[in-house]
Amino acid sequence: MRICITGNLGYIGPCVIQHLRAANPDATLVGIDTGYFAGCLLDPLHYPESVPDVQYYADVRTLPEEMFAGVDAVVHLAALSNDPLGSRFAEATGEINHLATVEVAKKARQAGVRSFVFASSCSVYGLAGTMARTEESEVNPLTAYAKSKVHAEIDLAELATDDFVVTCLRFATACGASPRLRLDLVINDFVASAVAVGQIRILSDGTPWRPLIAVRDMARAIEWAALHRTAGEGGACLVLNAGSDSWNWQVRDLAAAVAEAIPGTQISINSDAPPDSRSYRVDFGLFRSLAPGFQPQSTLMGTIAELKLVLERAKFSDTNFRQSRLVRLHVLSSLTEDGLLDVGKPGPIRYPLTATDSQSRGAALDPQEVLSVPARA
Ligand SMILES: NC(=O)c1ccc[n+]([C@@H]2O[C@H](COP(=O)([O-])OP(=O)(O)OC[C@H]3O[C@@H](n4cnc5c(N)ncnc54)[C@H](O)[C@@H]3O)[C@@H](O)[C@H]2O)c1
């Protein structure tokens, strides 16, 4: 079995690859990523790319169809992956998250891939009140990021057949430890803040709802969708909320849980904040009924404890972490401002060796070039 995972050098990707390796020791795992965040490891001694068999440093906007020859399943994670990035890089967000997703799926289908998993997002529901949203609920995408996910879902539905089964997993907000930890996610931010500063500042009044899912539980859902689901379970194209009902949390409860796990943490709430436009609850009943063996297993306190552990092991103490390599907007903005990256131009990131290389890199390197590095014998 050969499985392609795009966007594998991000936050969720390394956990998905680890999970798929454990679930299928003999599968050939192929990673495809521009490497925008390749250097953003929490602990440089823990290098996750020893797990895939092959790593391509390539852009999903310009992949050759041959990339998918002999591939059984594609897990498509590659994206500009949050609202702040969508707002700063709106055009590229549409090109990568929507248009390139559809092109990747077309090439995969043409090459005979059987199963295509798209990492969509519960943020498609936007401001949705306290009624839990089901897959039948109207979507209300408020941001470029959420809109890109809705547009991709719509176009992917057109491509699905019984021989090319498409699953759009509308994931809740991710949380938990990963070799490429992100601190721009609510629980991860709270734990980092508690560890480094001893304080959590809630920017809202604390009442907004956030459905969460632990990264390791995302990997379980992806395994089900990529390797086990057939068109008989949910149809050739299935759009599915991925998470669990008991993980719809109010932000103030999340802060309280972190403070309980890390004694001495102070919580401040902004009671004058305007209403948060991203408050929503989600119903995960369909996921429960279709994939009973692949339901989330993590606990909130266990997830917080693991985050605290990995941060402490990495001797994390950065009080200014929102301006660090662990925050996506900061990373892509810095690379852009330093002239090292133009997300509007397809191609893998190239780190220059010297300042002179930096000036000449545009001329010297072919952005369409695809490099492959055999990662495992
Ligand atoms: N993190 C969450 O809370 C969350 C929730 C719901 C859905 N998702 C979705 O899951 C997927 C993975 O999320 P993540 O948190 O790991 O994001 P991430 O930003 O950490 O990783 C995304 C990866 O995609 C790569 N990438 C971006 N543009 C690319 C391109 N043009 N070609 C090839 N690779 C490219 C980046 O280099 C990065 O390694 C995304 O599609 C995201 O929208 C994430």
Side-chain angles (χ1 to χ4, degrees):
M1 165 160 301
R2 192 175 176 88
I3 309 169
C4 250
I5 302 99
T6 73
N8 70 299
L9 303 180
Y11 170 56
I12 295 162
C15 302
V16 169
I17 292 217
Q18 265 165 19
H19 180 88
L20 292 176
R21 168 61 67 229
N24 298 270
D26 297 331
T28 300
L29 302 179
V30 179
I32 302 173
D33 199 300
T34 45
Y36 289 163
F37 305 100
C40 302
L41 293 163
L42 178 64
D43 176 354
L45 295 179
H46 184 166
Y47 182 63
E49 276 65 67
S50 55
V51 183
D53 299 273
V54 182
Q55 180 67 50
Y56 289 100
Y57 292 92
D59 195 303
V60 291
R61 286 170 287 189
T62 52
L63 290 182
E65 190 183 307
E66 307 85 73
M67 189 73 92
F68 300 107
V71 169
D72 298 284
V74 172
V75 176
H76 185 58
L77 304 174
L80 294 182
S81 166
N82 63 19
D83 288 338
L85 287 183
S87 156
R88 167 89 200 251
F89 306 106
E91 203 175 327
T93 293
E95 285 166 9
I96 298 170
N97 298 12
H98 169 211
L99 301 178
T101 294
V102 179
E103 285 310 307
V104 168
K106 281 182 183 166
K107 287 169 186 165
R109 187 173 89 154
Q110 189 65 28
V113 170
R114 188 190 54 78
S115 165
F116 186 89
V117 181
F118 173 56
S120 189
S121 165
C122 285
S123 67
V124 299
Y125 296 118
L127 181 61
T130 52
M131 280 288 290
R133 302 284 108 175
T134 72
E135 293 80 358
E136 303 296 315
S137 305
E138 208 177 321
V139 294
N140 182 18
L142 299 172
T143 61
Y145 170 69
K147 285 176 188 160
S148 72
K149 295 292 183 185
V150 171
H151 293 146
E153 284 182 2
I154 292 169
D155 290 349
L156 287 174
E158 298 292 314
L159 298 175
T161 66
D162 285 356
D163 299 322
F164 182 66
V165 175
V166 173
T167 313
C168 300
L169 295 172
R170 286 182 179 165
F171 283 117
T173 297
C175 62
S178 156
R180 283 197 184 75
L181 187 61
R182 304 288 188 233
L183 299 182
D184 46 20
L185 297 157
V186 59
I187 270 285
N188 299 9
D189 174 285
F190 285 179
V191 175
S193 211
V195 168
V197 191
Q199 193 186 26
I200 296 172
R201 273 180 53 227
I202 303 180
L203 301 176
S204 67
D205 66 0
T207 58
W209 289 92
R210 288 278 188 290
L212 299 187
I213 182 169
V215 273
R216 63 178 72 229
D217 292 327
M218 296 172 100
R220 291 166 58 75
I222 286 171
E223 181 202 340
W224 169 74
L227 306 184
H228 305 291
R229 188 177 95 75
T230 61
E233 299 156 283
C237 180
L238 174 66
V239 174
L240 188 63
N241 296 333
S244 62
D245 290 351
S246 59
W247 274 52
N248 282 296
W249 304 99
Q250 280 184 294
V251 172
R252 61 185 174 203
D253 297 333
L254 296 173
V258 173
E260 187 186 327
I262 306 176
T265 302
Q266 306 289 317
I267 300 175
S268 70
I269 286 188
N270 181 2
S271 21
D272 298 329
D276 187 320
S277 63
R278 290 167 306 156
S279 181
Y280 55 94
R281 299 179 70 191
V282 175
D283 182 314
F284 297 98
L286 183 57
F287 178 47
R288 219 167 31 246
S289 67
L290 286 173
F294 293 85
Q295 290 302 294
Q297 293 181 334
S298 303
T299 63
L300 182 62
M301 294 314 274
T303 303
I304 292 170
E306 192 183 6
L307 277 167
K308 176 173 176 278
L309 185 72
V310 297
L311 286 169
E312 287 175 349
R313 271 201 197 133
K315 305 202 180 340
F316 177 81
S317 61
D318 185 358
T319 54
N320 196 27
F321 65 82
R322 294 191 186 93
Q323 304 297 318
S324 79
R325 69 179 191 285
L326 302 179
V327 167
R328 282 169 276 211
L329 181 62
H330 176 75
V331 173
L332 291 199
S333 297
S334 300
L335 289 169
T336 304
E337 278 146 29
D338 291 348
L340 299 176
L341 176 67
D342 177 354
V343 291
K345 283 199 188 142
I349 188 155
R350 310 286 193 174
Y351 288 97
L353 297 174
T354 64
T356 321
D357 287 348
S358 166
Q359 283 151 19
S360 63
R361 69 190 272 282
L365 297 168
D366 173 4
Q368 307 265 346
E369 188 186 352
V370 171
L371 291 181
S372 96
V373 180
R376 231 171 56 126

